[in-house]
Amino acid sequence: MARRALHPFRRRVRAAVDEMPEVEISEAGNIRSLHLGSETIQSSMDLDEPAELVLSYSRAMMGFLLWNDEPQHILQIGLGGGSLARFIDEYLPDAVSVAVDINPQVIAVARAFFQLPEEGDFFEIIEADGADYVKIFRGSTDAILVDGFDGLQIVDELTTEDFFEDCKRALSPKGVFVTNWWSGDKRYQSFVERLLNVFEGRVLELPSASHGNVAVMAFRQSPTLTQWEALKERADRMECRFGLEFGEFVNRLKLTNQHTAGHLLI
């Protein structure tokens, strides 16, 4: 989920399955966006720079790279317009990336209109329920990126303790679970409490720059990098490599999470 906006051009694509939200595409200037059953933008792509992350929430979701900048396997639950898939293909070319989406029309539209990476050994799209698909993994994926929205709200099945347990089992020892939630959702705090319970407190909240979205990260093991000075130094190096505002991420982590003068507490 992200921002609302008015667009001079809209293209509507009817859902293939009646109970799934209608898929729409809009364009404003050089930005193409995907919508699911509402004006809310789910994903956006810069037609001139397809690999760049347009929306602040998608950039915040990549904040996990502060702790693991060379993931070998990434599982995405929720394809949307493929923003994360394009970024991973460009900036993490050695990573195997699997994107799972339950909605066949989303997959069809993303393939047709959003310049997805070539599918093959390093990128694959699976049409499936992500809450079920994650169960096949056992300690073998380095990052799980979840962005599930049904057109009205965050998908309930992607916020349960059972789902979080399955994701925890799927992660490699240094793996991280990242989900995009909206802080204005009245259920938000209960989601966070469930995640804290499953991951034994190893949870961080990284607010995006706008619109109330939060990238919530949960770690299989406590991260070793917690000193503010070390995080800032690493953020400076990461900005050059990935073109994301990692320094701002560190500042927002400090504002939002428990810490001391010298350390992030997790």
Side-chain angles (χ1 to χ4, degrees), residues 134-209:
V134 73
K135 296 176 183 179
I136 72 173
F137 294 93
R138 286 291 185 275
S140 56
T141 186
D142 299 310
I144 301 173
L145 309 179
V146 181
D147 187 21
F149 185 69
D150 64 7
L152 296 174
Q153 63 180 12
I154 297 165
V155 176
D156 289 335
E157 290 78 8
L158 302 179
T159 64
T160 68
E161 287 201 11
D162 285 344
F163 173 65
F164 298 154
E165 291 281 5
D166 290 334
C167 289
K168 184 180 177 183
R169 279 191 292 270
L171 289 170
S172 62
K174 294 184 179 180
V176 59
F177 167 92
V178 187
T179 187
N180 170 45
W181 289 336
W182 182 53
S183 61
D185 191 315
K186 64 183 180 181
R187 305 167 299 163
Y188 175 83
Q189 195 55 46
S190 66
F191 296 164
V192 173
E193 289 171 1
R194 292 173 201 165
L195 201 60
L196 283 164
N197 182 53
V198 171
F199 282 84
E200 301 171 306
R202 297 184 296 273
V203 174
L204 294 175
E205 295 169 273
L206 174 56
S208 69

Side-chain angles (χ1 to χ4, degrees), residues 20 46 52 65 121 125 158 205-206 224 238 241 254 263:
M20 292 187 180
D46 186 328
E52 302 308 307
L65 293 171
D121 292 340
I125 298 172
L158 302 179
E205 295 169 273
L206 174 56
T224 56
M238 300 277 282
R241 177 178 169 188
K254 192 170 186 178
H263 291 265

Side-chain angles (χ1 to χ4, degrees), residues 51 62 74 76 83-97 145:
M62 300 309 295
I74 300 172
Q76 303 169 59
S83 297
L84 299 180
R86 290 190 300 275
F87 181 88
I88 292 165
D89 181 67
E90 178 72 18
Y91 290 98
L92 297 166
D94 295 329
V96 173
S97 173
L145 309 179

Side-chain angles (χ1 to χ4, degrees), residues 34 42-43 57 76-86 99-103 106-111 116-117 123-126 147:
L34 182 143
Q42 302 304 308
S43 183
Y57 90 81
Q76 303 169 59
I77 297 179
L79 172 65
S83 297
L84 299 180
R86 290 190 300 275
V100 181
D101 205 292
I102 197 172
N103 190 333
V106 167
I107 296 173
V109 169
R111 282 173 169 156
L116 295 181
F123 177 59
E124 183 179 13
I125 298 172
I126 304 292
D147 187 21

